[in-house]
Amino acid sequence: MDQLFKSLPDVIKAAAQSQLGILALLVVALSILAYLFFAKAKVNVRVGIFVLLFAGVIGFGVAMFRASDAKTTSASSDGITQPGLSKEARTLLAAVASDPGGTVLYEKFGAGVDLHANGVSLLTDKSDHRAVASWESALQELVDRGLLAARGDRGEVYEITRKGYEAAASQPRNGPSPS
């Protein structure tokens, strides 16, 4: 029993690596708790508790996999499917992939900013801070996923990576591409 408690953190860490592992850990934990709480209860009560716990685990598993599927299959009218990317990030990726130089310019001047890809300014309303924040977030998403790489030390020039080109080319674009 001591060995089980010593290895419990490793078991939890290994189970947390996948959704099925989390679900299995949940089933084991609920089984142990149900046994401890209801071992001396009447058979009808134990069967009822089992059915409720079983339904709860099934419901949790379905919800977990639905949430995972929704997160990994985000597609938009630009035709680029990249798991979990925002609409702005997909638009920026499509624009930079069609740019002959493969670059994104994020210019900071005074109190303003501008974001260019393929010769087009993506920040159409520079006074709308919400839009600016969305495009900055999109740029960071692409960098975090390795689809864009920062060039220079000022954070103003980015280049599309091979992974970025592959993600952009993974599906044909249905909508108009920025030009």
Side-chain angles (χ1 to χ4, degrees):
M1 191 59 107
D2 289 337
Q3 189 69 2
L4 175 66
F5 287 119
K6 286 181 182 177
S7 63
L8 191 60
D10 294 328
V11 170
I12 292 171
K13 184 177 179 183
Q17 299 299 317
S18 74
Q19 293 177 338
L20 289 176
I22 293 170
L23 189 59
L25 191 61
L26 177 66
V27 168
V28 170
L30 283 175
S31 300
I32 292 170
L33 287 174
Y35 177 78
L36 292 174
F37 286 130
F38 303 107
K40 296 180 184 175
K42 294 181 183 179
V43 172
N44 294 344
V45 172
R46 287 188 291 188
V47 169
I49 297 299
F50 171 77
V51 169
L52 289 174
L53 287 174
F54 187 75
V57 168
I58 294 295
F60 177 75
V62 168
M64 184 172 63
F65 285 110
R66 278 188 181 170
S68 173
D69 287 344
K71 189 169 122 179
T72 60
T73 59
S74 95
S76 72
S77 63
D78 60 17
I80 294 176
T81 300
Q82 181 67 19
L85 281 182
S86 67
K87 178 184 172 189
E88 291 85 0
R90 289 189 305 267
T91 302
L92 179 56
L93 184 60
V96 70
S98 61
D99 180 42
T103 59
V104 174
L105 298 177
Y106 177 64
E107 301 171 312
K108 299 178 242 180
F109 48 90
V113 296
D114 205 353
L115 184 67
H116 291 274
N118 198 20
V120 175
S121 174
L122 297 169
L123 286 172
T124 55
D125 185 5
K126 295 166 185 62
S127 64
D128 181 7
H129 189 266
R130 184 178 301 226
V132 171
S134 293
W135 285 107
E136 287 176 341
S137 177
L139 180 62
Q140 191 60 48
E141 278 182 71
L142 296 176
V143 170
D144 290 346
R145 290 179 183 239
L147 304 177
L148 291 181
R151 299 294 182 234
D153 58 354
R154 295 177 46 192
E156 294 183 343
V157 180
Y158 297 85
E159 283 183 342
I160 189 168
T161 63
R162 179 178 178 180
K163 185 177 175 182
Y165 279 119
E166 290 170 357
S170 65
Q171 291 188 14
R173 287 186 282 282
N174 298 326
S177 64
S179 52

